[in-house]
Amino acid sequence: MTALATEQLTELHNQLHTKRLGDDLRRRAVAPELARLTHVLARYHDQIAHGFGTPHPDTARVRDGAHRAAALIKQAEHLLGPPVDTETPRSALAQKLRAASIALGCGLDLLSTHFAVTPDQASSANAVVIAAPDTARSLLRQLSTHTATLGHLTRRTAPPTDQAGRLLLTAAVIAHIYSEDQTPPPISSIPVHHIPDRIPPQLGESTDQALSGINTSIQRLSHPTSPTSITTWRYLARAAAIVCDLNRKTVRQLTHRINDLNEPDHLPAIKQAANDLHHLSLAWKSIVRRWDEQIGRYGHPANGPATDASDLIIRLGRCLHADPAWTPGPRASSRLKLPHELAPDLAHVAEVAGITLKAIEACNHLAAHHHAAINDAAAIGTLNHQKKYPTHLPRVPRSVRELSSQYEKAHARGSQAITTLVEAIQDLTPGPHCDTNEAQLILRRANEANQQRLSATEFPYPIGSSLESGHQSMPRPPLSQIQEQASRPGWPIQDTGQRTSRRPS
């Protein structure tokens, strides 16, 4: 019975931010059904608070939390008014709330039958299990989720019943906290971080095998173990451009799927993500053109990062295209999977968007760690320039500086795409969820990387000015400018004798 109620309330929780649900919640027939469900939850908490008549000595904390939550739920019930015993509700929302109330009420009645009501009755053998600490904590944790959903629904009702939402949400938080096991976990050793072994793509991979391979390739690209070369840098840039183009097409298909599902509330966030992915794809294509102008074509590298990038492209392409044996190339099939094949429902839309988010982070990692590539390109460019003009002083070619600026632009575009895609995933899966938690972690890593880059900025001259000056000495700023800068907040800045420089070594 509780599983049936959970199914009904979970469906309502997934529709919390839709306009249609908001309009239904403002109807008069909904408030009595909210009050009915609130009354059932109050009964549950009262039973847990009293230990179903036979309290276990180790459930004092759980019973205390249930008692506190029950007091708030009863206040919310008073604000919502009495439930009305009428025929079957007319609206679909009221019917779901009535079904959840009946299912939960029947479940509570079934639990109560295991306990003695009068002294001459005997409790069943299952009564001890129901009143046990683990069972009480599990039941209270489940009820906290239902209470939170009810609180969010109530907050969207018309005044004054919307005031009950705050009380229900507070009760949900209390029940959630008191349902936690306070027994300290045993001390366990922390596993040593290691790079997973490569998983070569295979024909006929299942969805789980494909996801495992994609995650492995992304981890290996983020922590390369093989030395890189000019050829590798150029290949990785081209691979990133292909990955971003596949991501752009994937998000576009997800947009069509959301439109087919008639969920217009989720379209603005996913469309913004698709637009940012388009700009990110253009930025990486510009990097590829710069590499081609810089060093020409030197073949296909055979080291680890290039192989991992190739594996990632193949699996992402096969997840997107209708051809199960898809491989990149001029003769590759361009026919994409239909939107409903790619993502049957909103949950799968969020899952596919999460895969895209991980791939974007891998490309952004390549853009953020481009300095070794620029150093290699600068060394070759300087030597070539010296051979052509032996009497000139060595200097960094303009093409290398432009390549560096293109990497910076791609990193900025990637960070923006990560931000908007995380917002789209959160919009698709409101509340705590594994997809949203992982998306938040990726967003946090991107923000931390941006902060580190800002903290390494040269002062008072940007790196562009230093490169443009070449072998010339840098002019000294006027004394008035130094005094003006010194008067700003944050001064004085201690000179440690070390300066961060991005000049290619």
Side-chain angles (χ1 to χ4, degrees):
M1 300 305 295
T2 56
L4 178 61
T6 300
E7 181 180 352
Q8 298 288 343
L9 293 175
T10 301
E11 183 178 352
L12 292 177
H13 184 274
N14 293 334
Q15 300 175 3
L16 279 176
H17 299 282
T18 59
K19 183 177 182 299
R20 181 176 57 188
L21 182 64
D23 295 339
D24 291 342
L25 285 170
R26 289 176 175 83
R27 296 180 180 177
R28 294 182 179 180
V30 175
E33 299 304 327
L34 292 173
R36 184 189 307 276
L37 183 56
T38 305
H39 178 70
V40 175
L41 291 175
R43 288 177 54 206
Y44 264 99
H45 285 79
D46 279 339
Q47 288 286 9
I48 298 175
H50 295 89
F52 288 92
T54 57
H56 193 281
D58 295 335
T59 57
R61 173 180 169 83
V62 179
R63 288 186 280 112
D64 184 32
H67 177 74
R68 293 170 182 262
L72 294 171
I73 295 174
K74 290 176 182 178
Q75 295 180 33
E77 181 185 0
H78 177 72
L79 290 174
L80 291 171
V84 180
D85 292 328
T86 58
E87 63 278 1
T88 303
R90 297 179 181 178
S91 68
L93 174 60
Q95 290 177 4
K96 290 181 180 180
L97 291 172
R98 174 75 66 88
S101 300
I102 294 175
L104 282 175
C106 291
L108 181 59
D109 292 339
L110 289 174
L111 288 177
S112 300
T113 58
H114 291 276
F115 296 89
V117 179
T118 59
D120 57 338
Q121 291 180 340
S123 300
S124 69
N126 295 325
V128 180
V129 179
I130 297 174
D134 292 343
T135 308
R137 281 194 297 266
S138 177
L139 182 58
L140 190 61
R141 173 66 62 90
Q142 185 179 9
L143 292 175
S144 69
T145 303
H146 298 336
T147 307
T149 301
L150 182 60
H152 287 296
L153 292 171
T154 308
R155 287 184 65 182
R156 301 194 64 182
T157 59
T161 57
D162 60 337
Q163 300 297 323
R166 180 179 58 83
L167 297 171
L168 291 170
L169 291 175
T170 305
V173 172
I174 292 175
H176 183 84
I177 293 175
Y178 278 81
S179 64
E180 294 178 351
D181 188 3
Q182 295 299 305
T183 304
I187 299 176
S188 58
S189 59
I190 300 176
V192 179
H193 178 73
H194 69 283
I195 306 302
D197 296 331
R198 178 194 172 220
I199 305 177
Q202 302 290 336
L203 288 176
E205 287 182 334
S206 65
T207 303
D208 293 338
Q209 290 174 332
L211 293 179
S212 178
I214 289 173
N215 290 329
T216 298
S217 298
I218 290 173
Q219 292 183 47
R220 290 174 60 83
L221 278 175
S222 301
H223 303 87
T225 57
S226 303
T228 53
S229 61
I230 285 289
T231 309
T232 305
W233 290 119
R234 177 189 169 278
Y235 182 85
L236 290 177
R238 186 171 296 277
I242 297 174
V243 168
C244 290
D245 190 60
L246 292 173
N247 290 337
R248 178 182 61 83
K249 294 177 181 178
T250 299
V251 174
R252 185 182 61 188
Q253 292 295 90
L254 296 181
T255 304
H256 295 325
R257 183 54 183 155
I258 293 176
N259 196 32
D260 293 342
L261 291 171
N262 195 21
E263 295 286 352
D265 294 339
H266 301 299
L267 283 175
I270 199 73
K271 284 185 176 180
Q272 182 60 45
N275 182 63
D276 291 337
L277 281 173
H278 172 71
H279 293 294
L280 176 61
S281 179
L282 294 178
W284 276 107
K285 290 178 180 178
S286 179
I287 292 176
V288 173
R289 288 194 297 269
R290 295 292 181 184
W291 274 117
D292 291 343
E293 296 170 359
Q294 179 72 21
I295 62 174
R297 299 179 179 271
Y298 289 111
H300 186 289
N303 60 1
T307 303
D308 296 327
S310 178
D311 293 346
L312 180 61
I313 291 173
I314 291 174
R315 284 195 170 96
L316 288 176
R318 290 178 180 177
C319 290
L320 175 64
H321 292 83
D323 182 9
W326 183 91
T327 54
R331 297 184 180 180
S333 173
S334 59
R335 190 163 64 92
L336 306 179
K337 290 181 180 178
L338 296 177
H340 71 272
E341 296 175 344
L342 185 64
D345 50 31
L346 285 180
H348 286 86
V349 170
E351 182 180 0
V352 175
I355 298 171
T356 302
L357 179 63
K358 295 178 185 179
I360 296 173
E361 186 189 27
C363 296
N364 225 35
H365 181 84
L366 296 176
H369 296 81
H370 69 277
H371 301 97
I374 299 301
N375 285 342
D376 293 343
I380 293 179
T382 302
L383 291 175
N384 292 337
H385 181 81
Q386 190 70 13
K387 291 178 182 179
K388 190 174 182 179
Y389 305 101
T391 59
H392 292 190
L393 292 175
R395 60 177 301 174
V396 178
R398 180 182 296 273
S399 59
V400 176
R401 299 197 297 270
E402 292 175 350
L403 181 61
S404 178
S405 64
Q406 290 298 324
Y407 269 106
E408 298 284 349
K409 181 178 179 180
H411 185 269
R413 295 287 191 188
S415 299
Q416 179 62 31
I418 288 174
T419 302
T420 54
L421 194 55
V422 168
E423 293 175 354
I425 293 174
Q426 290 177 331
D427 182 68
L428 290 168
T429 54
H433 193 272
C434 59
D435 290 337
T436 56
N437 293 339
E438 190 170 14
Q440 280 289 348
L441 181 60
I442 292 175
L443 179 61
R444 183 180 302 174
R445 285 199 295 260
N447 291 336
E448 289 176 354
N450 290 334
Q451 293 173 1
Q452 292 173 0
R453 293 167 68 84
L454 288 174
S455 64
T457 303
E458 290 267 9
F459 181 85
Y461 293 101
I463 185 65
S465 302
S466 302
L467 291 176
E468 289 175 359
S469 62
H471 60 278
Q472 300 176 358
S473 60
M474 185 171 294
R476 200 178 187 89
L479 180 60
S480 59
Q481 180 181 350
I482 297 178
Q483 292 174 343
E484 179 185 356
Q485 292 169 343
S487 62
R488 296 174 182 173
W491 277 73
I493 298 178
Q494 296 180 356
D495 187 3
T496 60
Q498 299 178 354
R499 294 192 179 274
T500 303
S501 177
R502 297 182 186 176
R503 183 188 297 275
S505 58

